[in-house]
Every structure is written in structure tokens, then in C-alpha cells.
Amino acid sequence: DSGVTQTPKHLITATGQRVTLRCSPRSGDLSVYWYQQSLDQGLQFLIQYYNGEERAKGNILERFSAQQFPDLHSELNLSSLELGDSALYFCASSVDLTGTEAFFGQGTRLTVV
Amino acid sequence: AQSVTQLGSHVSVSEGALVLLRCNYSSSVPPYLFWYVQYPNQGLQLLLKYTSAATLVKGINGFEAEFKKSETSFHLTKPSAHMSDAAEYFCAVSDSSGTYKYIFGTGTRLKVLA
């Protein structure tokens, strides 16, 4: 158990809908990362937050947004969903910005039908 | 920009044989390098990491990796494969530009034959 909790584990929704994925980082970790894992794109970095502030953006679509709350949990919002958004979405957390280790959650498997 | 290349998307070994999974990186600064394992329908579990200390890094489950700067490589090895090692393995480099996000390779699926 990495200590990073992601909910829900599975999500099935229809095209055009909006969903929210939740991540609770390890206790004491200030940095949260979101990644998308799909068959065609592999593991792609989406966005990073550090202590409530957006730190970096990767290949995140404009239909996607995220935030980190004062209690440090984070949410990834995906809207106007398309079939191609079906993927495994991972959250990872680290204590700081030294890059020495990040801990990954079990992921949320999103299926868009 | 930093990048990671994993040679061989699929590797098959016999049980008890040597496991060698290849990873080459590209980085203009000393990198932090990682190997993660992903079992079916599971998350990513850290096997080992290199953070500029010893070049030979020992990880969990009998795996180890050697950082070779001259070859820009960080290959993962295990002397004797076990059936339970069947999984997908990802090499990653930590982006040193300030975000420290991970840049992952495309993964190598290891199959262990009885």
C-alpha cells in the first residue's frame, strides 16, 4: 500500500459527460501529480500541484482541469468526455520537489461508452 | 529534453533464467532514474531508484539496476526469474527542470515461461 488513495477505482460513463476523480496523497506529501495511462499514449504526465498551487502542465486537454485543496487532496475533472478518454488515471504524491521518489495510487479506470 | 527509451516491448524468459530489461535515458544533467512494476489491474510499484549515490542499486524482489553514465543506461536485472515476476516494467527519469515529474518509457511486458 503506497498510502495514496484514489477513488473511485472504476468509472463507466457516457460520451459528453463530466466526471471527477479524487486523490488523497500520502500524509505529509505536498506535491500531487496526475498521469494518464492509455494503450496508444502510454504513461503521460497531465498536471502537477504543489501545496495548492499549479506547478506544471503536461499533455492535459483543455476539457480537463484539476485542483488541489487546502487539505492537499486533489481532484481531476474531465468534461465533454470522448471515447478516447478511456484510460487509467494515476495520481502520485511526493513530499517535496526534489524528485527523489513519488508514490502512486492504484489508479481510476475510466471507461467512456 | 529528457527522455527514456525501453528496448523491447515484450521479453520472454524461462523460469530460473536471467532477466534483463533495457533502459536508456537522455538527460543533460545527472538524472534520477526509477524502475516501476505494474501487475495486471494494479498501480505502479517502485522497484528501485537511482539518486546519484551508488551506481549499483538493489531493489525489492531481487531486482537490481546499474547506472552507467558512459552508456546512458539503467538496465534492470534479476539473476533468476520467478513466475510471479510476470508484469509490465517501466523505466522513468525525473524531470530536472523544476517540476520533477516523471517521464516514462513505453514499458516492457515480461513473460516468464514454465
Side-chain angles (χ1 to χ4, degrees), chain A residues 48-63:
Chain A
Q48 179 201 8
Y49 280 82
Y50 180 77
N51 203 19
E53 299 288 325
E54 182 184 301
R55 179 81 179 178
K57 268 187 174 180
N59 299 323
I60 187 166
L61 300 171
E62 284 191 10
R63 301 183 284 107

Side-chain angles (χ1 to χ4, degrees), chain A residues 1-9 22-26 34 73-74 91 93 103-108:
Chain A
D1 183 1
S2 66
V4 178
T5 303
Q6 289 188 249
T7 56
K9 285 188 169 43
R22 183 187 169 100
C23 170
S24 293
R26 288 189 327 152
W34 285 97
H73 90 271
S74 178
C91 168
S93 73
F103 295 84
F104 283 77
Q106 294 292 296
T108 293

